[in-house]
Structures are given as C-alpha cells and as structure tokens.
Amino acid sequence: MKPAVKPVLSAVTVDVDGRACVYSPTRNEVLFLNQSASDIWWLLESTLDVPGLVDALAHAYGVDPEVLAADVHQALAVFADAGLIDPGAPA
Amino acid sequence: MRIQALGVEIVLAIEDPKLVEIISPLLAHFAKEQGESRAVVEVRGHGPWQIASPASTGVVDSRPQALSGVLTAINLTAVAGTPYFACHAAVLTRAGRTLVVPAPSGMGKTTLTAALLRRGWDYVSDEALCLRWDDGSIVAYPRPLALSEWAAKRLGDPEGVRGDGERILLPEALGGRPSFEASRIGHIVCLVRDGSSADLTPILRPIHRADAVQELLRRSFNHYRDPVAALRLLADTTKGAMAWRLRLGDPHLAAEVLTQDTV
C-alpha cells in the first residue's frame, strides 16, 4: 500500500453544507471546491492511499474506478499546486 | 459636522454653506456617536471645490459634482477605515428576514435596492454588508442612495437632490425606511446580468451556499486582513441562509420575484 495523501497542517478547511472551502497559506487565498473535489478532500482525512481513494469514490458514485481515476489525479494535482497537500505525495 | 459610518468617525469640514445645507439632511441616518477611528473629509472653496480625504482627493467645478464627490469620499473613507468585516453588497430586511445582494459596482444593486424599498423592504445599505468580527452581527450603513436618472425615471421619479449625473435621495423618498437592527442573514442573492437585460424577465435559481460565500468573500473590501477569520465569519453568519442566483432583468419584476420567494 502506498502512503496516504494528507492535507498540509497549515491548510484550514471550513465545511459549508458539505462543500470544502480551503485556505491555502501558499497562495494566501481560499479555494472553494466543487462537490466532487470536496468529496476527494474529505477522504484525505482517512488513511486511504490514492487507489483506495479512487475505489472509495467509485463505490460511492457507483461508477467504474478506471473512469474516476483521471479525475482524482487531476484534483490531487490542483491540491498540490495550491500547496494543500505534500508536494511529494503520490498524486 | 461629524458623522459615524462603519465605525469610522468622520469630521466633515466644508467651507461652502450652500453645500452644507444640501448635504446635512442626506446624512441624517448616519450615527452621530464616536467611532473607533477618526478621519477628516475636507472641502475647500465655493467653486471650484477641492475635496480631500484619506482615501481620495480631487477638484470639481459644480455643486452637484461636489455633492457626489463628498459622498464618495465619505464612503471610501468609511470602507477603507472600517474595523468591521465589509463586503460590497446591498442589504435589506423585511418581516424579520435579511436579504444580502453581493455584487460589484455597476451591476444594479442600488436600482434593485430602490425597487425593493418600493415594495416595503427596510433599508440597511446599498453599498456594504458589514459584520462585527466577534459575533457576526450586522452593522447598518444606510448611506443616501444615488440613482442614475434612468433608474429614477423607472422607479417612479422619486424626489432627490441632483448629484453628478445621479439623483441622491434617502430611502423615505422611495417609501422605505432605514433599519438599524438587521436580523440574521436569511437569503443571499448573487446577481448576473445578460448584457442589455433591463427588460428581461428575472430568473431566480437556488445555488449552493458555498457559491454565495465565495461571492461574498470575493466582494470583500478587507478580508485580506485575516482571510481565515473572514471565511469562518461568512460561513457562520450565513448558516441556514438560502442562496440564490438572480438574472437581473427589469428591476420592478426582480423586486417582485425576490419579495415573493424570500419572505
């Protein structure tokens, strides 16, 4: 199992009715995540690795994991670019 | 003359007595008690008029321009110096519900505000939603409304004072009244315009509250002082509120739709 991707400690998340609004200290701005990006973000609180994230979301949405994998990787790349997750994390 | 706007005590030093006579009644709804900080807006001369404030300076050639210039200087000074969280939004109340309409200048906030006043809403501000950082309570900012001549004609031609290409008036001229005790935010309405849309039928659609919080934060004058605190403040104070997107068409119809759907 690969190491889990985790939010950086300095990221501050506010939950607005299920949507994640995340302050990025790197950019000094708030990222307002859409619902699917929020679902990924909330799963970062778990101990899942990236394949585990994809499987969990695919199960929740009732879709094929292969269909979802690209979207999850894209979201993680956005999080990494905003300094919200460890840049060395396996996005 | 001394007023208090958004927690800023503003001393108005105006040489022209005629300008003082015109402007004094328009500032009737500003509180007179001391503010938390202090600034001076100075107007020298009897024509041309030199206007100087911490936020802006300029020289104008007519009294209507001077009137608009002073009101703009007061607004900029208050917004720049306010100790409260502030964002660009109209705020009205009716039947215990507070409606917030965040939007940049030129989107039609003041015209919509005037149309809502015509429908019996009470006036908190056409310019700023101001929240105390500690408890999220709303601070009223009932500045005079400045309507374009187009909007004034469309809204029943209310009486007002001539400004620089605008008509300046108090909410009472539109049948409304100022409200200094706004209750919790019940509705947030984000505006969109379709080009030249003044004659279109308005469309009101629900949106996610996070999108409304994003719009409020985007329109903030001073969230940069503490972005995390601003985000938490907006998330907390809008909890339970309904969020909407309004395609702003005819202002009368928009006010009717909002009044029907949010009260």
Side-chain angles (χ1 to χ4, degrees):
Chain A
M1 187 171 168
K2 293 178 182 175
V5 181
K6 305 298 283 183
V8 296
L9 291 175
S10 54
V12 179
T13 305
V14 173
D15 181 346
V16 178
D17 301 341
R19 291 261 299 271
C21 310
V22 190
Y23 171 70
S24 162
T26 308
R27 289 191 182 172
N28 191 30
E29 68 178 17
V30 178
L31 275 75
F32 289 84
L33 306 185
N34 63 24
Q35 192 60 63
S36 52
S38 296
D39 292 343
I40 296 168
W41 183 258
W42 301 129
L43 280 173
L44 298 183
E45 300 293 332
S46 71
T47 56
L48 295 170
D49 60 8
V50 176
L53 281 178
V54 173
D55 286 342
L57 284 168
H59 180 72
Y61 294 166
V63 297
D64 188 333
E66 282 187 25
V67 174
L68 208 61
D71 290 340
V72 171
H73 283 281
Q74 190 179 9
L76 292 175
V78 170
F79 297 163
D81 188 49
L84 297 176
I85 56 176
D86 181 353
Chain B
M1 194 186 324
R2 222 174 266 265
I3 61 168
Q4 195 248 93
L6 297 181
V8 180
E9 184 181 341
I10 299 174
V11 177
L12 295 172
I14 302 173
E15 286 183 353
D16 178 4
K18 181 68 182 167
L19 186 57
V20 172
E21 188 183 316
I22 294 169
I23 206 167
S24 294
L26 293 171
L27 303 178
H29 296 317
F30 284 110
K32 301 294 189 294
E33 71 267 25
Q34 288 189 334
E36 295 183 27
S37 60
R38 192 172 179 191
V40 178
V41 172
E42 189 173 17
V43 184
R44 287 187 177 171
H46 300 73
W49 293 261
Q50 296 177 321
I51 305 169
S53 75
S56 62
T57 58
V59 180
V60 295
D61 295 322
S62 72
R63 201 168 270 121
Q65 287 177 329
L67 174 60
S68 291
V70 172
L71 294 175
T72 299
I74 290 170
N75 185 52
L76 292 175
T77 301
V79 163
T82 183
Y84 309 122
F85 169 85
C87 67
H88 217 167
V91 186
L92 298 107
T93 67
R94 182 171 164 155
R97 307 301 296 271
T98 296
L99 171 73
V100 176
V101 186
S105 295
M107 276 291 282
K109 280 192 312 296
T110 298
T111 305
L112 179 60
T113 298
L116 287 164
L117 290 172
R118 283 280 192 219
R119 292 201 163 262
W121 289 74
D122 291 336
Y123 181 61
V124 179
S125 183
D126 73 333
E127 171 68 2
L129 168 67
C130 298
L131 302 168
R132 289 189 177 85
W133 289 96
D134 53 355
D135 63 4
S137 58
I138 294 173
V139 180
Y141 182 43
R143 67 170 195 167
L145 293 104
L147 287 176
S148 67
E149 283 303 319
W150 173 88
K153 292 272 188 303
R154 194 124 184 174
L155 292 163
D157 224 3
E159 280 192 24
V161 180
R162 194 161 67 90
D164 185 14
E166 57 194 8
R167 198 178 302 184
I168 298 165
L169 43 91
L170 292 175
E172 289 87 341
L174 293 153
R177 59 182 181 180
S179 173
F180 297 94
E181 293 188 5
S183 54
R184 206 173 162 78
I185 296 170
H187 297 272
I188 310 153
V189 178
C190 302
L191 299 183
V192 288
R193 280 177 90 163
D194 289 347
S196 175
S197 62
D199 293 316
L200 294 176
T201 302
I203 300 173
L204 188 66
R205 298 255 186 266
I207 58 171
H208 198 283
R209 185 166 64 96
D211 295 325
V213 170
Q214 181 176 17
E215 182 67 7
L216 289 166
L217 199 64
R218 181 186 294 152
R219 300 298 162 211
S220 166
F221 301 117
N222 54 9
H223 71 284
Y224 59 86
R225 291 180 190 165
D226 190 339
V228 172
L231 173 63
R232 287 184 168 140
L233 180 69
L234 289 172
D236 287 347
T237 52
T238 61
K239 208 169 212 166
M242 296 186 70
W244 308 88
R245 192 170 305 288
L246 173 67
R247 185 186 76 174
L248 186 59
D250 177 87
H252 282 297
L253 293 177
E256 185 180 341
V257 166
L258 283 176
T259 303
Q260 280 174 357
D261 289 4
T262 63
V263 175

